[in-house]
């Protein structure tokens, strides 16, 4: 489990069609960690999850599952972490 703390940039709900033809939805949450210029996208199937207001500092416990989409198919990807020099 990884804890991510930062400023809540936005939340959005994405609708899609599953492989079996049924409709599905996923909630994407964008958090900008302190010292970062890029927000992190976090996905959840819990559409009712209340995170906070945009601009508020929030902290979420997440699990990492690295993947990317290639030609419309989900493929395994690498996930890099680093310790910054301060």
């Amino acid at each position: 489990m990884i804890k991510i703390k930062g400023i809540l940039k936005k939340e959005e709900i994405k609708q899609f069609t599953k492989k079996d033809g049924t409709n599905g939805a996923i909630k994407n949450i964008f958090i900008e960690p302190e010292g970062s210029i890029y927000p992190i996208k976090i996905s959840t199937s819990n559409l009712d999850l209340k995170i906070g207001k945009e601009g508020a500092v929030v902290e979420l416990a997440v699990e990492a599952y690295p993947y990317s989409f290639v030609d419309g198919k989900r493929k395994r990807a690498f996930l890099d972490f680093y310790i910054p020099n301060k």
Side-chain angles (χ1 to χ4, degrees):
M1 189 84 48
I2 300 168
K3 290 194 178 190
I4 297 185
K5 182 178 179 180
I7 298 171
L8 179 62
K9 288 299 186 181
K10 71 176 180 175
E11 296 178 73
E12 64 184 19
I13 295 177
K14 181 180 174 185
Q15 305 289 332
F16 61 93
T17 304
K18 297 179 183 180
K19 288 182 182 179
D20 63 2
T22 60
N23 292 329
I26 195 161
K27 184 175 193 174
N28 291 321
I29 303 161
F30 295 88
I31 296 178
E32 186 176 299
E34 183 180 327
S36 176
I37 58 172
Y38 297 107
I40 295 173
K41 180 174 126 180
I42 301 167
S43 301
T44 181
S45 59
N46 184 355
L47 303 180
D48 297 326
L49 181 65
K50 303 293 183 199
I51 305 296
K53 293 184 178 183
E54 287 185 14
V57 175
V58 297
E59 184 173 349
L60 296 175
V62 300
E63 290 191 29
Y65 177 71
Y67 66 89
S68 64
F69 288 98
V70 178
D71 298 327
K73 295 182 180 180
R74 188 165 60 181
K75 300 287 182 181
R76 181 183 279 178
F78 294 103
L79 181 64
D80 294 332
F81 293 97
Y82 73 97
I83 299 172
N85 293 329
K86 291 191 177 191

